[in-house]
Amino acid sequence: MRDTKYDSVIIGAGLSGLAAGIRLAQFRKSVLVIEKHNIIGGLNSFYSRFGRKIDVGLHAITNFVKKGIAKSPLCKLLRQLRIPYDLLGLCEQNFSKIILNEKIVQFNNDFSLLESEIDRLFPRSIDVFRQLVEHIKNFDAYHEDSLQNTSTRAMLSSILHNQELEDMLLLPTLYYGSACENDITWQQFVILFRSIFLEGFARPFDGIRKILTLLLQKFQELGGEKRLACEVQRIETCNGKVAGVRLNDGEFIACRNVLSTIGYPETVKLYDREHFNDTPKGQLSFCEAIAIFEQQPNQYGWNDTIVFFERNNHFLYKKSIDEIGTSSGVICLPNNFNYENGQSLKEGMLRVTALANYERWKTLSHSAYGTMKKYCFDLLIEQAVKILGNKYFDFETWKKNLLDRDFFTPLTIERFTGRVNGAIYGSPEKIYNGVLPVKNLFLCGTDQGFLGIIGAMLSGISIVNRHLLLEQPS
Ligand SMILES: Cc1cc2nc3c(=O)[nH]c(=O)nc-3n(C[C@H](O)[C@H](O)[C@H](O)COP(=O)(O)OP(=O)(O)OC[C@H]3O[C@@H](n4cnc5c(N)ncnc54)[C@H](O)[C@@H]3O)c2cc1C
């Protein structure tokens, strides 16, 4: 047997990498997580600005269910990681909205609200909507043969025969997980529909830090090792099998298995540069504006947690022509969760996400980039305030008095995560079984097809359970 230093090396300390690391360490496998940044969390990390801790992306943790719903993804995940439910400190959303032009549908973590809203707005479609929900509940979305390439648009239009209702259901689901323009596979739609509408939204008071701290603590207690600020430059192979990883400083780390969480094309690039060119790459990226203010949003009558909006009659989910698209987007108010003991976040926060165009941002000069960020910030915030309503204040004065503002672009995402084109939802081609052409090299996370924070963690666990806990011949 070769003298391997680690049983497994995990590339990336995002949510899937940390969950996979815990699972391996629980089975006494020697495991090293390597992360190119000096902080864990990946796409869902946090940063400090003027003493404030800001989540990189977190709007809400999807898949919320109350304690003890054994078969739910959240409870399954916690059971596998042996983390008690209460430690997450999840607090439920107030309520959220889908706005399609003039039509508004409210929903919260009780599915009957969405059902009654659909009955109110689309009374003639309520029976087919209920049939759709039954179909979604009974569909085995985690089976590998589960209609992976079936278009959701085609499925929904054949079931609902109602373009507006179809668009309303697609607004949150595409924004929270589709790597493809204007559509999503049926399998992924089912996973997202359940996680957003049949389960729900929640957030810990301290945001993503709470979850990252828990995961890291658990991983280290079990003997897992991590290296931060350390980039894997190559996955070395020998006779078609993993030999180890080469770091950016030239160091070689031998291992039996490599689990990559960095994305499909990004992983291919580490072992086969030629093949990288033909690997499908994600094209969809986003911008987000973050405004911080003194007041609580409810003082302005802003009680929604998340608002998904489209200003036109028909929802188009497409790479924008300009730096940002303003016809649709997502507004999030992290203050509007029911925090325990009536606690509230110290300051108000408004986050606005819009579709973007990576190439447009990429070709701006340094100074034009800064100017464009300011312009797009103003555009997105003004639009969000209009949608939320501003009868209690003068917008220009409010904007002048903001405590802080930040804006990220597809280039920010690319720089901090290594995702090609800043594509948050990764490649349009998913590797559902996690198997790559190199022996003992596996893929988990976004490009394995599981979505969001809970999906990423489940992906890490399921790929470990399936491929790395079996005794492999050396
Ligand atoms: C702005 C934004 C908002 C979001 N909002 C939500 C939300 O509200 N709710 C939700 O459920 N999900 C949300 N998501 C999605 C969620 O964050 C992701 O699905 C999930 O975090 C993906 O985790 P991952 O482990 O698969 O990948 P990643 O988080 O991308 O982890 C991969 C890690 O690998 C590291 N890496 C890359 N290349 C190398 C290398 N060569 N060597 C070493 N390390 C490397 C990266 O730095 C990164 O840390 C959001 C994402 C973004 C960007």
Side-chain angles (χ1 to χ4, degrees):
M1 200 167 95
R2 226 177 34 235
D3 180 25
T4 53
K5 172 99 191 286
Y6 289 96
D7 183 79
S8 296
V9 162
I10 298 176
I11 312 177
L15 288 148
S16 61
L18 291 170
I22 292 175
R23 193 72 187 143
L24 283 164
Q26 277 169 346
F27 286 83
R28 297 177 197 282
K29 305 284 183 191
S30 60
V31 51
L32 171 69
V33 174
I34 300 176
E35 167 57 52
K36 75 173 181 178
H37 284 291
N38 54 9
I39 187 165
I40 60 168
L43 283 171
N44 231 307
S45 189
F46 60 93
Y47 57 100
S48 294
R49 252 177 87 88
F50 310 119
R52 288 185 185 88
K53 296 264 190 303
I54 302 179
D55 286 332
V56 170
L58 181 71
H59 283 183
I61 292 176
T62 56
N63 298 89
F64 173 82
V65 289
K66 294 205 190 312
K67 192 172 173 175
I69 315 278
K71 284 192 171 160
S72 64
L74 176 63
C75 295
K76 258 192 227 163
L77 163 79
L78 294 175
R79 225 174 20 250
Q80 293 266 312
L81 295 182
R82 296 176 206 149
I83 293 178
Y85 178 99
D86 292 333
L87 285 190
L88 296 184
L90 291 179
C91 306
E92 293 189 58
Q93 64 168 323
N94 286 354
F95 56 84
S96 295
K97 275 186 196 142
I98 308 167
I99 304 179
L100 182 71
N101 195 2
E102 308 269 280
K103 287 206 160 79
I104 303 178
V105 158
Q106 256 194 13
F107 66 98
N108 58 14
N109 292 354
D110 176 355
F111 186 71
S112 61
L113 175 61
L114 179 68
E115 206 176 359
S116 66
E117 286 281 274
I118 295 207
D119 193 14
R120 176 179 63 79
L121 268 182
F122 305 103
R124 282 201 273 169
S125 297
I126 187 66
D127 289 338
V128 279
F129 175 71
R130 287 192 179 121
Q131 281 165 24
L132 170 75
V133 175
E134 277 314 299
H135 184 49
I136 288 172
K137 281 184 182 167
N138 295 323
F139 186 77
D140 182 1
Y142 295 100
H143 195 280
E144 258 169 53
D145 302 327
S146 291
L147 303 174
Q148 283 162 12
N149 297 317
T150 303
S151 149
T152 296
R153 282 257 179 220
M155 282 288 263
L156 289 183
S157 77
S158 73
I159 297 172
L160 298 173
H161 303 287
N162 182 328
Q163 177 78 56
E164 272 186 324
L165 180 52
E166 179 185 319
D167 281 345
M168 282 192 135
L169 300 179
L170 283 171
L171 239 169
T173 42
L174 296 191
Y175 258 107
Y176 273 4
S178 180
C180 306
E181 288 192 332
N182 245 336
D183 209 346
I184 188 164
T185 65
W186 180 250
Q187 182 186 31
Q188 292 200 309
F189 173 76
V190 168
I191 292 175
L192 284 160
F193 186 97
R194 285 180 189 154
S195 71
I196 297 170
F197 298 125
L198 290 168
E199 293 165 356
F201 294 150
R203 183 182 187 275
F205 185 73
D206 289 326
I208 199 66
R209 271 167 294 149
K210 175 91 180 180
I211 300 199
L212 292 175
T213 310
L214 263 176
L215 294 176
L216 186 60
Q217 223 169 30
K218 185 101 196 169
F219 176 62
Q220 291 183 315
E221 275 166 17
L222 290 163
E225 294 176 43
K226 70 167 189 337
R227 285 215 211 167
L228 300 182
C230 181
E231 183 171 354
V232 173
Q233 209 150 62
R234 266 204 76 73
I235 296 168
E236 304 272 4
T237 61
C238 177
N239 298 328
K241 187 175 168 188
V242 157
V245 294
R246 178 83 53 196
L247 305 182
N248 50 346
D249 63 1
E251 185 187 351
F252 176 72
I253 298 176
C255 58
R256 190 193 290 255
N257 307 295
V258 169
L259 181 56
S260 172
T261 72
I262 67 176
Y264 175 37
E266 296 81 355
T267 304
V268 172
K269 196 174 179 182
L270 295 184
Y271 66 85
D272 185 350
R273 280 186 172 268
E274 233 173 85
H275 184 201
F276 167 72
N277 296 330
D278 323 322
T279 311
K281 297 162 191 80
Q283 299 298 326
L284 287 172
S285 194
F286 301 87
C287 284
E288 187 164 276
I290 301 169
I292 297 174
F293 43 96
E294 214 171 298
Q295 300 77 3
Q296 291 295 313
N298 63 12
Q299 290 176 247
Y300 304 140
W302 300 346
N303 294 309
D304 317 66
T305 306
I306 298 178
V307 177
F308 302 89
F309 68 89
E310 164 64 65
R311 294 189 301 145
N312 300 314
N313 283 329
H314 181 42
F315 171 45
L316 267 187
Y317 178 76
K318 257 174 104 56
K319 178 169 161 176
S320 68
I321 295 166
D322 300 319
E323 281 76 6
I324 52 165
T326 51
S327 76
S328 68
V330 187
I331 301 167
C332 169
L333 294 151
N335 302 73
N336 291 339
F337 287 85
N338 291 299
Y339 295 117
E340 273 174 351
N341 309 320
Q343 274 180 300
S344 32
L345 302 180
K346 221 169 82 203
E347 296 163 336
M349 182 186 274
L350 171 63
R351 314 184 71 116
V352 193
T353 311
L355 283 154
N357 181 314
Y358 170 84
E359 289 82 13
R360 289 291 294 247
W361 286 98
K362 185 83 182 167
T363 46
L364 292 173
S365 68
H366 183 70
S367 68
Y369 181 76
T371 312
M372 185 55 76
K373 273 174 69 167
K374 284 199 191 95
Y375 171 77
C376 291
F377 174 91
D378 285 355
L379 208 61
L380 291 189
I381 293 293
E382 183 167 4
Q383 168 158 283
V385 167
K386 261 194 203 139
I387 289 170
L388 294 169
N390 64 341
K391 60 181 173 190
Y392 297 101
F393 61 81
D394 169 64
F395 176 69
E396 288 305 324
T397 319
W398 177 80
K399 202 175 75 183
K400 230 182 272 161
N401 290 328
L402 287 177
L403 300 176
D404 196 9
R405 56 183 73 201
D406 203 5
F407 192 85
F408 71 71
T409 74
L411 302 195
T412 327
I413 297 169
E414 186 181 54
R415 188 163 66 248
F416 286 104
T417 68
R419 299 270 164 187
V420 176
N421 300 332
I424 293 176
Y425 300 130
S427 168
E429 187 175 323
K430 302 298 178 197
I431 308 293
Y432 291 99
N433 62 8
V435 175
L436 291 168
V438 173
K439 206 155 175 246
N440 290 16
L441 169 64
F442 303 98
L443 184 77
C444 72
T446 309
D447 278 347
Q448 191 246 328
F450 286 28
L451 301 156
I453 294 166
I454 301 296
M457 289 194 268
L458 275 173
S459 163
I461 292 169
S462 67
I463 294 298
V464 166
N465 287 352
R466 186 164 170 183
H467 300 292
L468 299 182
L469 293 182
L470 310 168
E471 253 337 295
Q472 293 144 356
S474 50

